[in-house]
Amino acid sequence: MRKYFIFISLVVLMSSCEDYLDQREITDSIDETEVFGSYYNMRRYLEDGYTKLYLVDATETFSSGKNHTHVSQFSDEGSTNRDRVPEFKSGAWMEYFGYKYNIFGDNGNGIVEFTAPYVLGWQGIRIANRTIQEINSPKDITPEQQEQLLGQAYFIRAMCYFQMLERFGGMPYFTEPLDQNSYLGYERLSYQETAAKIVEDCELAFQYLPLEWDSDNIGRPVKSVALALKSRVLLYAASKTYNPGNDLTKWKEAAEAADQLIKFIENEDPYHELVDASNAINARVSSVNDADYAEPEIESIMDYRKIFLYVTRSPETLFSVYRESVRASGGNSWKRYTTNLTYYSGKAYLHNNTLTTSLSPNENFVEKYETVNGLAITDDPDYNPQNPYIKRDPRFYNSIIYNGVNWPIGSTDNIVELYEVGSDGTSGDERTETNTPYPHTGYMMRKYWAKGGSSSVADGGPREVELNIPYFRVAEAYLNYAEAAFEASGRGNINAAYSSDGTGAAYTALSALNKVRNRVGMPDLHSMYQNTNRFMDRVRNERGIEFCFEGGHRWFDILRWHMLDQITKTYGIHLTWNDDITTYPTGYRFEKYEIETLEKTFTDKNYFYPIDPEEVYQYPEFEQNPGW
């Protein structure tokens, strides 16, 4: 970075934080009197704030939808070897800004994760602040409409600050639009100070937002969403990276916030609930010849799968990016809307067809799925590593495509071939360094990928599929509580309980965890894990599989838990045909291998992203994050 810092400074001398902190948005081209003169125009103005809410799984609003720095590959969830990954795996994230300024070549879409949440965040904050400031300006606005706009504005402001907080740390917290003629060199607040102000905005949003919107406004944030953001912010603020002294009062606050959210959803919110998908455990996957083993969509799992696909609105979804039309043509192809097809290179070979795939789940992550006995695979004597995909947690079959799955593209059945060498001696997915830019891990991601959905018009099939990509859903309330309550007890009591209102907590740490497990038919946490030494590992594992490939949960959990040192190695699986069916029930020999080219290197500075150097240069008060 030092090699080109001076060059950047000269180039951007006339650019500054003002570009972001004083965005004029719609009022640049429309007279302000017109914008704020009517309720309808003010509502339209505020609605632009929703386009500033950054979600890692739905980045089509920034940089044409490309995001080669998707955070699932940052964590241990998946792998790719796109051209922007080398800078990531080395931990040299500042180098991404070299691409932004065309120092290393023009490939700016590789820096989306390090720029979009920041740029869009400040824009959204200004929109929210202008709306709050002008709330009395429209002559035709009613008190109810004022409350609705205020609730949305406070929520948008809180969300924009949070999307920066979880990446960059504390920020100056502006509650009024900045005067462009004033000096903008404000000092950054601490992480904890910023988190506290976000919580205040969440509480204001809760005060003004409705319990539910009418049918013409479904999808806007409601009271439960404000509490969900509050719960997540306080959980993060209590975590090791941001609470290194392990102040237990912060964990208690996080537990109480989660308890408040749970009680509100269960007792006062008639529109949201944890989906009962307990029938999922009945998936017929007891052997490779069982009825559901190769099925693309397992009927017993559909109640769970419909949280993400095929329905307009799941009662579990609190707030999401929703698409009712995911077309397979041009710039709006399937890959632009989901984690699965975020990247454009690499082949996964399917019988009589080829398919552009992307982020491949790692073997590291696949191993986190328990068996139906409720045991980690390393603890279950019935688990056979040479027949690994039978009798697993049903969420495995919702999220992972493995060798042999029948995956229709349009009207044609296609058998996914993710093996190295097949029964006829030929390769399956053509995994060679010359044919693909990264070594396949042996898996493809299924969670957001609808049966029949394709990245190519030529493949035909359904081109309109309802897709929900969650920001918040109900399951998080219970898992937030399970973690926070146990941590608040000093990790001394798996039945710890903390009430938000003095009436008694709705759950204990253990029962909240079991609530999420049971809803897919998984048994209560096994007795061997019901001790203070192993409980937190299972809570973290549960979060991993419940929220896999979803909204960056896993990556930001790893950052807040201060666990970068545990995700440096990436593993895949080799499958080679072997005729000994007794030893190798699938017909393939499974061999775990380390993907050396994807080994990651991190230091303490990587717990916060670097801030764009032009911001820091323009205003010395706006300090760069440590180590950058």
Side-chain angles (χ1 to χ4, degrees), residues 72-98:
S72 284
Q73 61 161 314
F74 288 25
S75 67
D76 54 1
E77 288 181 309
S79 301
T80 186
N81 204 22
R82 282 293 293 180
D83 49 3
R84 294 285 67 79
V85 177
E87 289 80 11
F88 165 73
K89 70 181 182 182
S90 68
W93 299 343
M94 187 66 85
E95 293 187 17
Y96 283 101
F97 293 104

PDB file of all heavy atoms in Angstrom, residues 72-98:
ATOM      1  N   SER A  72     -18.637 -15.787   1.642  1.00  0.00           N
ATOM      2  CA  SER A  72     -18.663 -17.228   1.898  1.00  0.00           C
ATOM      3  C   SER A  72     -17.304 -17.863   1.634  1.00  0.00           C
ATOM      4  O   SER A  72     -16.928 -18.836   2.270  1.00  0.00           O
ATOM      5  CB  SER A  72     -19.737 -17.913   1.039  1.00  0.00           C
ATOM      6  OG  SER A  72     -21.027 -17.680   1.561  1.00  0.00           O
ATOM      7  N   GLN A  73     -16.556 -17.319   0.682  1.00  0.00           N
ATOM      8  CA  GLN A  73     -15.214 -17.833   0.449  1.00  0.00           C
ATOM      9  C   GLN A  73     -14.215 -17.253   1.451  1.00  0.00           C
ATOM     10  O   GLN A  73     -13.132 -17.807   1.634  1.00  0.00           O
ATOM     11  CB  GLN A  73     -14.749 -17.506  -0.973  1.00  0.00           C
ATOM     12  CG  GLN A  73     -14.700 -16.016  -1.231  1.00  0.00           C
ATOM     13  CD  GLN A  73     -13.839 -15.659  -2.417  1.00  0.00           C
ATOM     14  OE1 GLN A  73     -12.738 -16.156  -2.557  1.00  0.00           O
ATOM     15  NE2 GLN A  73     -14.352 -14.793  -3.271  1.00  0.00           N
ATOM     16  N   PHE A  74     -14.593 -16.165   2.108  1.00  0.00           N
ATOM     17  CA  PHE A  74     -13.733 -15.623   3.146  1.00  0.00           C
ATOM     18  C   PHE A  74     -13.689 -16.577   4.334  1.00  0.00           C
ATOM     19  O   PHE A  74     -12.668 -16.734   4.985  1.00  0.00           O
ATOM     20  CB  PHE A  74     -14.264 -14.277   3.644  1.00  0.00           C
ATOM     21  CG  PHE A  74     -14.103 -13.124   2.693  1.00  0.00           C
ATOM     22  CD1 PHE A  74     -14.013 -13.322   1.328  1.00  0.00           C
ATOM     23  CD2 PHE A  74     -14.054 -11.824   3.158  1.00  0.00           C
ATOM     24  CE1 PHE A  74     -13.887 -12.259   0.452  1.00  0.00           C
ATOM     25  CE2 PHE A  74     -13.915 -10.741   2.301  1.00  0.00           C
ATOM     26  CZ  PHE A  74     -13.835 -10.960   0.944  1.00  0.00           C
ATOM     27  N   SER A  75     -14.840 -17.186   4.626  1.00  0.00           N
ATOM     28  CA  SER A  75     -14.931 -18.071   5.775  1.00  0.00           C
ATOM     29  C   SER A  75     -14.540 -19.484   5.363  1.00  0.00           C
ATOM     30  O   SER A  75     -13.783 -19.666   4.420  1.00  0.00           O
ATOM     31  CB  SER A  75     -16.361 -18.047   6.326  1.00  0.00           C
ATOM     32  OG  SER A  75     -17.255 -18.632   5.399  1.00  0.00           O
ATOM     33  N   ASP A  76     -15.065 -20.479   6.077  1.00  0.00           N
ATOM     34  CA  ASP A  76     -14.771 -21.874   5.742  1.00  0.00           C
ATOM     35  C   ASP A  76     -15.924 -22.527   4.996  1.00  0.00           C
ATOM     36  O   ASP A  76     -15.972 -23.740   4.856  1.00  0.00           O
ATOM     37  CB  ASP A  76     -14.463 -22.670   7.018  1.00  0.00           C
ATOM     38  CG  ASP A  76     -15.563 -22.545   8.067  1.00  0.00           C
ATOM     39  OD1 ASP A  76     -16.569 -21.856   7.810  1.00  0.00           O
ATOM     40  OD2 ASP A  76     -15.407 -23.117   9.161  1.00  0.00           O
ATOM     41  N   GLU A  77     -16.865 -21.721   4.484  1.00  0.00           N
ATOM     42  CA  GLU A  77     -18.036 -22.286   3.830  1.00  0.00           C
ATOM     43  C   GLU A  77     -17.731 -22.811   2.429  1.00  0.00           C
ATOM     44  O   GLU A  77     -18.175 -23.895   2.058  1.00  0.00           O
ATOM     45  CB  GLU A  77     -19.145 -21.235   3.723  1.00  0.00           C
ATOM     46  CG  GLU A  77     -19.801 -20.920   5.043  1.00  0.00           C
ATOM     47  CD  GLU A  77     -20.913 -19.904   4.889  1.00  0.00           C
ATOM     48  OE1 GLU A  77     -20.680 -18.840   4.276  1.00  0.00           O
ATOM     49  OE2 GLU A  77     -22.018 -20.168   5.381  1.00  0.00           O
ATOM     50  N   GLY A  78     -17.028 -22.015   1.622  1.00  0.00           N
ATOM     51  CA  GLY A  78     -16.829 -22.402   0.237  1.00  0.00           C
ATOM     52  C   GLY A  78     -15.571 -21.832  -0.349  1.00  0.00           C
ATOM     53  O   GLY A  78     -14.866 -21.037   0.279  1.00  0.00           O
ATOM     54  N   SER A  79     -15.292 -22.235  -1.586  1.00  0.00           N
ATOM     55  CA  SER A  79     -14.044 -21.846  -2.243  1.00  0.00           C
ATOM     56  C   SER A  79     -14.282 -21.496  -3.700  1.00  0.00           C
ATOM     57  O   SER A  79     -15.169 -22.025  -4.362  1.00  0.00           O
ATOM     58  CB  SER A  79     -13.033 -22.993  -2.191  1.00  0.00           C
ATOM     59  OG  SER A  79     -12.733 -23.368  -0.886  1.00  0.00           O
ATOM     60  N   THR A  80     -13.456 -20.604  -4.173  1.00  0.00           N
ATOM     61  CA  THR A  80     -13.320 -20.321  -5.590  1.00  0.00           C
ATOM     62  C   THR A  80     -11.928 -19.766  -5.776  1.00  0.00           C
ATOM     63  O   THR A  80     -11.232 -19.449  -4.818  1.00  0.00           O
ATOM     64  CB  THR A  80     -14.387 -19.334  -6.086  1.00  0.00           C
ATOM     65  OG1 THR A  80     -14.282 -19.213  -7.508  1.00  0.00           O
ATOM     66  CG2 THR A  80     -14.201 -17.973  -5.472  1.00  0.00           C
ATOM     67  N   ASN A  81     -11.519 -19.629  -7.004  1.00  0.00           N
ATOM     68  CA  ASN A  81     -10.172 -19.101  -7.252  1.00  0.00           C
ATOM     69  C   ASN A  81     -10.231 -18.008  -8.295  1.00  0.00           C
ATOM     70  O   ASN A  81      -9.369 -17.920  -9.162  1.00  0.00           O
ATOM     71  CB  ASN A  81      -9.234 -20.219  -7.711  1.00  0.00           C
ATOM     72  CG  ASN A  81      -7.778 -19.873  -7.428  1.00  0.00           C
ATOM     73  OD1 ASN A  81      -7.510 -19.051  -6.570  1.00  0.00           O
ATOM     74  ND2 ASN A  81      -6.857 -20.484  -8.135  1.00  0.00           N
ATOM     75  N   ARG A  82     -11.276 -17.187  -8.199  1.00  0.00           N
ATOM     76  CA  ARG A  82     -11.390 -16.072  -9.116  1.00  0.00           C
ATOM     77  C   ARG A  82     -10.196 -15.142  -8.958  1.00  0.00           C
ATOM     78  O   ARG A  82      -9.466 -15.166  -7.969  1.00  0.00           O
ATOM     79  CB  ARG A  82     -12.686 -15.310  -8.841  1.00  0.00           C
ATOM     80  CG  ARG A  82     -13.917 -15.981  -9.400  1.00  0.00           C
ATOM     81  CD  ARG A  82     -13.940 -15.998 -10.910  1.00  0.00           C
ATOM     82  NE  ARG A  82     -14.074 -14.667 -11.480  1.00  0.00           N
ATOM     83  CZ  ARG A  82     -14.108 -14.422 -12.777  1.00  0.00           C
ATOM     84  NH1 ARG A  82     -14.008 -15.401 -13.647  1.00  0.00           N
ATOM     85  NH2 ARG A  82     -14.243 -13.191 -13.218  1.00  0.00           N
ATOM     86  N   ASP A  83     -10.030 -14.264  -9.936  1.00  0.00           N
ATOM     87  CA  ASP A  83      -8.804 -13.479 -10.004  1.00  0.00           C
ATOM     88  C   ASP A  83      -8.638 -12.479  -8.881  1.00  0.00           C
ATOM     89  O   ASP A  83      -7.561 -11.932  -8.703  1.00  0.00           O
ATOM     90  CB  ASP A  83      -8.693 -12.751 -11.351  1.00  0.00           C
ATOM     91  CG  ASP A  83      -9.955 -11.995 -11.721  1.00  0.00           C
ATOM     92  OD1 ASP A  83     -10.893 -11.990 -10.904  1.00  0.00           O
ATOM     93  OD2 ASP A  83      -9.998 -11.419 -12.822  1.00  0.00           O
ATOM     94  N   ARG A  84      -9.680 -12.222  -8.082  1.00  0.00           N
ATOM     95  CA  ARG A  84      -9.496 -11.296  -6.968  1.00  0.00           C
ATOM     96  C   ARG A  84      -9.220 -12.036  -5.661  1.00  0.00           C
ATOM     97  O   ARG A  84      -9.020 -11.420  -4.642  1.00  0.00           O
ATOM     98  CB  ARG A  84     -10.756 -10.429  -6.777  1.00  0.00           C
ATOM     99  CG  ARG A  84     -11.016  -9.488  -7.937  1.00  0.00           C
ATOM    100  CD  ARG A  84     -10.086  -8.283  -7.965  1.00  0.00           C
ATOM    101  NE  ARG A  84      -8.703  -8.579  -8.231  1.00  0.00           N
ATOM    102  CZ  ARG A  84      -8.223  -8.820  -9.434  1.00  0.00           C
ATOM    103  NH1 ARG A  84      -8.997  -8.827 -10.481  1.00  0.00           N
ATOM    104  NH2 ARG A  84      -6.942  -9.048  -9.597  1.00  0.00           N
ATOM    105  N   VAL A  85      -9.238 -13.353  -5.693  1.00  0.00           N
ATOM    106  CA  VAL A  85      -9.069 -14.116  -4.470  1.00  0.00           C
ATOM    107  C   VAL A  85      -7.648 -14.100  -3.917  1.00  0.00           C
ATOM    108  O   VAL A  85      -7.461 -14.102  -2.710  1.00  0.00           O
ATOM    109  CB  VAL A  85      -9.563 -15.569  -4.661  1.00  0.00           C
ATOM    110  CG1 VAL A  85      -9.321 -16.401  -3.412  1.00  0.00           C
ATOM    111  CG2 VAL A  85     -11.039 -15.566  -4.996  1.00  0.00           C
ATOM    112  N   PRO A  86      -6.606 -14.091  -4.741  1.00  0.00           N
ATOM    113  CA  PRO A  86      -5.247 -14.100  -4.159  1.00  0.00           C
ATOM    114  C   PRO A  86      -5.007 -13.004  -3.134  1.00  0.00           C
ATOM    115  O   PRO A  86      -4.379 -13.242  -2.105  1.00  0.00           O
ATOM    116  CB  PRO A  86      -4.354 -13.933  -5.391  1.00  0.00           C
ATOM    117  CG  PRO A  86      -5.131 -14.564  -6.492  1.00  0.00           C
ATOM    118  CD  PRO A  86      -6.563 -14.221  -6.211  1.00  0.00           C
ATOM    119  N   GLU A  87      -5.504 -11.799  -3.402  1.00  0.00           N
ATOM    120  CA  GLU A  87      -5.324 -10.727  -2.425  1.00  0.00           C
ATOM    121  C   GLU A  87      -6.069 -11.044  -1.136  1.00  0.00           C
ATOM    122  O   GLU A  87      -5.626 -10.725  -0.045  1.00  0.00           O
ATOM    123  CB  GLU A  87      -5.830  -9.394  -2.990  1.00  0.00           C
ATOM    124  CG  GLU A  87      -4.967  -8.821  -4.094  1.00  0.00           C
ATOM    125  CD  GLU A  87      -5.242  -9.489  -5.432  1.00  0.00           C
ATOM    126  OE1 GLU A  87      -6.244 -10.234  -5.539  1.00  0.00           O
ATOM    127  OE2 GLU A  87      -4.463  -9.271  -6.372  1.00  0.00           O
ATOM    128  N   PHE A  88      -7.229 -11.682  -1.298  1.00  0.00           N
ATOM    129  CA  PHE A  88      -7.972 -12.013  -0.088  1.00  0.00           C
ATOM    130  C   PHE A  88      -7.265 -13.060   0.743  1.00  0.00           C
ATOM    131  O   PHE A  88      -7.090 -12.912   1.943  1.00  0.00           O
ATOM    132  CB  PHE A  88      -9.378 -12.525  -0.410  1.00  0.00           C
ATOM    133  CG  PHE A  88      -9.966 -13.196   0.783  1.00  0.00           C
ATOM    134  CD1 PHE A  88     -10.395 -12.442   1.852  1.00  0.00           C
ATOM    135  CD2 PHE A  88      -9.968 -14.562   0.899  1.00  0.00           C
ATOM    136  CE1 PHE A  88     -10.854 -13.041   2.997  1.00  0.00           C
ATOM    137  CE2 PHE A  88     -10.436 -15.174   2.032  1.00  0.00           C
ATOM    138  CZ  PHE A  88     -10.880 -14.411   3.083  1.00  0.00           C
ATOM    139  N   LYS A  89      -6.871 -14.158   0.117  1.00  0.00           N
ATOM    140  CA  LYS A  89      -6.334 -15.272   0.897  1.00  0.00           C
ATOM    141  C   LYS A  89      -5.022 -14.893   1.573  1.00  0.00           C
ATOM    142  O   LYS A  89      -4.647 -15.477   2.577  1.00  0.00           O
ATOM    143  CB  LYS A  89      -6.151 -16.517   0.030  1.00  0.00           C
ATOM    144  CG  LYS A  89      -5.040 -16.427  -1.003  1.00  0.00           C
ATOM    145  CD  LYS A  89      -4.974 -17.702  -1.817  1.00  0.00           C
ATOM    146  CE  LYS A  89      -3.826 -17.638  -2.816  1.00  0.00           C
ATOM    147  NZ  LYS A  89      -3.754 -18.840  -3.647  1.00  0.00           N
ATOM    148  N   SER A  90      -4.317 -13.898   1.036  1.00  0.00           N
ATOM    149  CA  SER A  90      -3.091 -13.453   1.681  1.00  0.00           C
ATOM    150  C   SER A  90      -3.377 -12.474   2.809  1.00  0.00           C
ATOM    151  O   SER A  90      -2.483 -12.090   3.553  1.00  0.00           O
ATOM    152  CB  SER A  90      -2.177 -12.778   0.652  1.00  0.00           C
ATOM    153  OG  SER A  90      -2.738 -11.550   0.212  1.00  0.00           O
ATOM    154  N   GLY A  91      -4.647 -12.053   2.925  1.00  0.00           N
ATOM    155  CA  GLY A  91      -5.000 -11.064   3.938  1.00  0.00           C
ATOM    156  C   GLY A  91      -4.620  -9.654   3.553  1.00  0.00           C
ATOM    157  O   GLY A  91      -4.805  -8.730   4.339  1.00  0.00           O
ATOM    158  N   ALA A  92      -4.117  -9.470   2.328  1.00  0.00           N
ATOM    159  CA  ALA A  92      -3.653  -8.150   1.877  1.00  0.00           C
ATOM    160  C   ALA A  92      -4.808  -7.369   1.267  1.00  0.00           C
ATOM    161  O   ALA A  92      -4.789  -7.029   0.082  1.00  0.00           O
ATOM    162  CB  ALA A  92      -2.513  -8.322   0.881  1.00  0.00           C
ATOM    163  N   TRP A  93      -5.799  -7.067   2.076  1.00  0.00           N
ATOM    164  CA  TRP A  93      -7.026  -6.481   1.545  1.00  0.00           C
ATOM    165  C   TRP A  93      -6.832  -5.062   1.041  1.00  0.00           C
ATOM    166  O   TRP A  93      -7.618  -4.599   0.213  1.00  0.00           O
ATOM    167  CB  TRP A  93      -8.121  -6.508   2.609  1.00  0.00           C
ATOM    168  CG  TRP A  93      -8.454  -7.900   3.051  1.00  0.00           C
ATOM    169  CD1 TRP A  93      -8.150  -9.072   2.404  1.00  0.00           C
ATOM    170  CD2 TRP A  93      -9.150  -8.277   4.236  1.00  0.00           C
ATOM    171  NE1 TRP A  93      -8.617 -10.147   3.104  1.00  0.00           N
ATOM    172  CE2 TRP A  93      -9.229  -9.690   4.243  1.00  0.00           C
ATOM    173  CE3 TRP A  93      -9.711  -7.576   5.299  1.00  0.00           C
ATOM    174  CZ2 TRP A  93      -9.861 -10.398   5.260  1.00  0.00           C
ATOM    175  CZ3 TRP A  93     -10.331  -8.266   6.304  1.00  0.00           C
ATOM    176  CH2 TRP A  93     -10.411  -9.666   6.278  1.00  0.00           C
ATOM    177  N   MET A  94      -5.846  -4.352   1.512  1.00  0.00           N
ATOM    178  CA  MET A  94      -5.627  -2.998   1.024  1.00  0.00           C
ATOM    179  C   MET A  94      -5.320  -2.993  -0.470  1.00  0.00           C
ATOM    180  O   MET A  94      -5.581  -2.000  -1.169  1.00  0.00           O
ATOM    181  CB  MET A  94      -4.474  -2.346   1.795  1.00  0.00           C
ATOM    182  CG  MET A  94      -4.270  -0.875   1.478  1.00  0.00           C
ATOM    183  SD  MET A  94      -5.650   0.171   2.006  1.00  0.00           S
ATOM    184  CE  MET A  94      -5.214   0.465   3.719  1.00  0.00           C
ATOM    185  N   GLU A  95      -4.810  -4.102  -0.974  1.00  0.00           N
ATOM    186  CA  GLU A  95      -4.474  -4.150  -2.390  1.00  0.00           C
ATOM    187  C   GLU A  95      -5.705  -4.045  -3.281  1.00  0.00           C
ATOM    188  O   GLU A  95      -5.599  -3.693  -4.456  1.00  0.00           O
ATOM    189  CB  GLU A  95      -3.687  -5.421  -2.717  1.00  0.00           C
ATOM    190  CG  GLU A  95      -2.312  -5.440  -2.064  1.00  0.00           C
ATOM    191  CD  GLU A  95      -1.477  -6.625  -2.520  1.00  0.00           C
ATOM    192  OE1 GLU A  95      -1.829  -7.225  -3.554  1.00  0.00           O
ATOM    193  OE2 GLU A  95      -0.488  -6.930  -1.850  1.00  0.00           O
ATOM    194  N   TYR A  96      -6.883  -4.345  -2.748  1.00  0.00           N
ATOM    195  CA  TYR A  96      -8.086  -4.199  -3.547  1.00  0.00           C
ATOM    196  C   TYR A  96      -8.267  -2.759  -4.008  1.00  0.00           C
ATOM    197  O   TYR A  96      -8.807  -2.499  -5.087  1.00  0.00           O
ATOM    198  CB  TYR A  96      -9.312  -4.653  -2.751  1.00  0.00           C
ATOM    199  CG  TYR A  96      -9.444  -6.147  -2.662  1.00  0.00           C
ATOM    200  CD1 TYR A  96      -9.052  -6.830  -1.513  1.00  0.00           C
ATOM    201  CD2 TYR A  96      -9.962  -6.878  -3.726  1.00  0.00           C
ATOM    202  CE1 TYR A  96      -9.179  -8.209  -1.427  1.00  0.00           C
ATOM    203  CE2 TYR A  96     -10.075  -8.252  -3.648  1.00  0.00           C
ATOM    204  CZ  TYR A  96      -9.688  -8.910  -2.498  1.00  0.00           C
ATOM    205  OH  TYR A  96      -9.805 -10.269  -2.415  1.00  0.00           O
ATOM    206  N   PHE A  97      -7.826  -1.809  -3.185  1.00  0.00           N
ATOM    207  CA  PHE A  97      -7.974  -0.413  -3.579  1.00  0.00           C
ATOM    208  C   PHE A  97      -7.017  -0.054  -4.700  1.00  0.00           C
ATOM    209  O   PHE A  97      -7.236   0.917  -5.415  1.00  0.00           O
ATOM    210  CB  PHE A  97      -7.775   0.497  -2.363  1.00  0.00           C
ATOM    211  CG  PHE A  97      -8.852   0.337  -1.341  1.00  0.00           C
ATOM    212  CD1 PHE A  97      -8.624  -0.360  -0.168  1.00  0.00           C
ATOM    213  CD2 PHE A  97     -10.114   0.846  -1.571  1.00  0.00           C
ATOM    214  CE1 PHE A  97      -9.621  -0.537   0.771  1.00  0.00           C
ATOM    215  CE2 PHE A  97     -11.128   0.677  -0.636  1.00  0.00           C
ATOM    216  CZ  PHE A  97     -10.886  -0.013   0.533  1.00  0.00           C
ATOM    217  N   GLY A  98      -5.969  -0.833  -4.875  1.00  0.00           N
ATOM    218  CA  GLY A  98      -5.105  -0.640  -6.032  1.00  0.00           C
ATOM    219  C   GLY A  98      -5.844  -0.906  -7.322  1.00  0.00           C
ATOM    220  O   GLY A  98      -5.624  -0.235  -8.335  1.00  0.00           O
TER     221      GLY A  98
END
